[in-house]
Amino acid sequence: MGNPTHFSLEVPKRAHQLLRDLYEQLGGSEGTRLPLKATFLLSVSMPIVILPIERILKYKRKPAEVHMNDAILNARLADAVDRAIDLQAKVHTAKFFTGSWQYATLEKGSGFPNLAAVGLPEVIAAHLDAPQALEDARNLSANRFCKILRNALAHGGVLYLDQYGRSRSGAPVRRFAFVSTDNSNKRLHFLRIKMADYRAFLQRWVDWMNGEAIEEILAEDLGLEAPEAEAVSIAEEAVEATVK
């Protein structure tokens, strides 16, 4: 397939296909090969998450802007993205959400720590370990959840973490933390997730996009498969994505 007809739909689908086809061929964190799985997963996820927000949702909510507007290409999909990434509704009600996220915040106080130097603060890691962190993530607005994830991916606000959810130099990467400031720049928002669960989330996200967009003509024109023909269950995806 050449130049995309619907960039925000087709490019995430292509990126996810790369993930499914190539992920298990990459070296893990052990042995002599470079540990590329975490880097590849993170890199591939950028167009999957960012493009629908930047090229559909942005223009759906600001129709006067037109220079990269995919919202007009499929009204059904644009409406679905706008509904799902709701300003107020809890994110756990969205079709793309998986219940494995953890959430915490850090007030700025006299200043934010330099996470590039110190990694994930232990006080935040401990908060994320608590069961309440799962509930706090579920109860974020869908808009806030997607904004944190989008900003972290777009601006490099990502931390590689070990199996315990800590920043430890040289340790195999088993989790990610996505970090974003709020609009006032007075608070840091942290979303933490296991790598296997993040991969399952990406599957759910792509399935959601396809499910909302597909009509017979669109499927034929773009070569898209119906979600039921393509989808791997989230449980199966998580098992398949387990990093050895």
Side-chain angles (χ1 to χ4, degrees):
M1 187 184 294
N3 189 28
T5 303
H6 192 308
F7 207 85
S8 299
L9 181 62
E10 293 175 70
V11 173
K13 182 178 175 67
R14 297 181 194 187
H16 189 261
Q17 188 64 47
L18 286 173
L19 178 61
R20 295 186 63 178
D21 290 350
L22 301 178
Y23 185 76
E24 296 304 331
Q25 300 179 33
L26 299 174
S29 296
E30 297 83 13
T32 58
R33 299 178 65 188
L34 287 174
L36 297 176
K37 280 191 171 181
T39 302
F40 183 68
L41 179 59
L42 186 65
S43 299
V44 167
S45 75
M46 291 180 184
I48 293 174
V49 174
I50 293 174
L51 287 177
I53 295 172
E54 285 298 297
R55 293 183 58 150
I56 296 178
L57 183 66
K58 176 180 177 179
Y59 296 103
K60 174 68 177 176
R61 293 181 177 173
K62 295 182 179 180
E65 301 287 340
V66 296
H67 70 283
M68 282 291 181
N69 186 359
D70 283 347
I72 64 169
L73 302 180
N74 187 298
R76 177 180 171 183
L77 176 59
D79 289 343
V81 170
D82 189 33
R83 286 195 309 271
I85 306 178
D86 193 280
L87 293 171
Q88 301 297 331
K90 306 300 184 186
V91 70
H92 70 81
T93 65
K95 293 179 181 179
F96 57 75
F97 186 73
T98 54
S100 47
W101 294 88
Q102 301 162 317
Y103 172 70
T105 61
L106 179 66
E107 300 297 328
K108 184 174 185 178
S110 59
F112 291 133
N114 181 0
L115 303 183
V118 303
L120 186 68
E122 179 56 32
V123 64
I124 296 299
H127 186 94
L128 291 168
D129 290 341
Q132 185 60 41
L134 289 167
E135 286 301 310
D136 290 342
R138 284 172 49 83
N139 289 319
L140 285 169
S141 73
N143 189 69
R144 170 62 69 186
F145 173 87
C146 289
K147 189 172 184 179
I148 296 169
L149 194 54
R150 178 264 176 212
N151 287 352
L153 289 169
H155 300 295
V158 182
L159 297 172
Y160 283 8
L161 307 175
D162 65 12
Q163 63 179 320
Y164 305 108
R166 266 62 176 178
S167 298
R168 186 159 58 95
S169 180
V173 180
R174 297 291 184 265
R175 302 190 189 199
F176 296 126
F178 299 93
V179 189
S180 173
T181 60
D182 61 13
N183 292 338
S184 65
N185 200 34
K186 294 181 179 179
R187 177 183 300 170
L188 287 178
H189 299 268
F190 295 83
L191 283 170
R192 189 175 71 178
I193 192 168
K194 295 178 181 178
M195 280 179 60
D197 291 333
Y198 186 55
R199 190 176 172 196
F201 163 76
L202 296 176
Q203 174 74 56
R204 179 72 69 86
W205 180 276
V206 171
D207 286 348
W208 160 64
M209 292 275 296
N210 287 344
E212 297 292 357
I214 283 181
E215 300 164 347
E216 285 188 14
I217 295 177
L218 185 64
E220 182 178 346
D221 286 351
L222 302 187
L224 298 173
E225 297 173 304
E228 60 268 23
E230 178 199 27
V232 177
S233 72
I234 296 301
E236 290 173 336
E237 190 73 17
V239 171
E240 176 186 276
T242 300
V243 181
K244 296 183 174 63

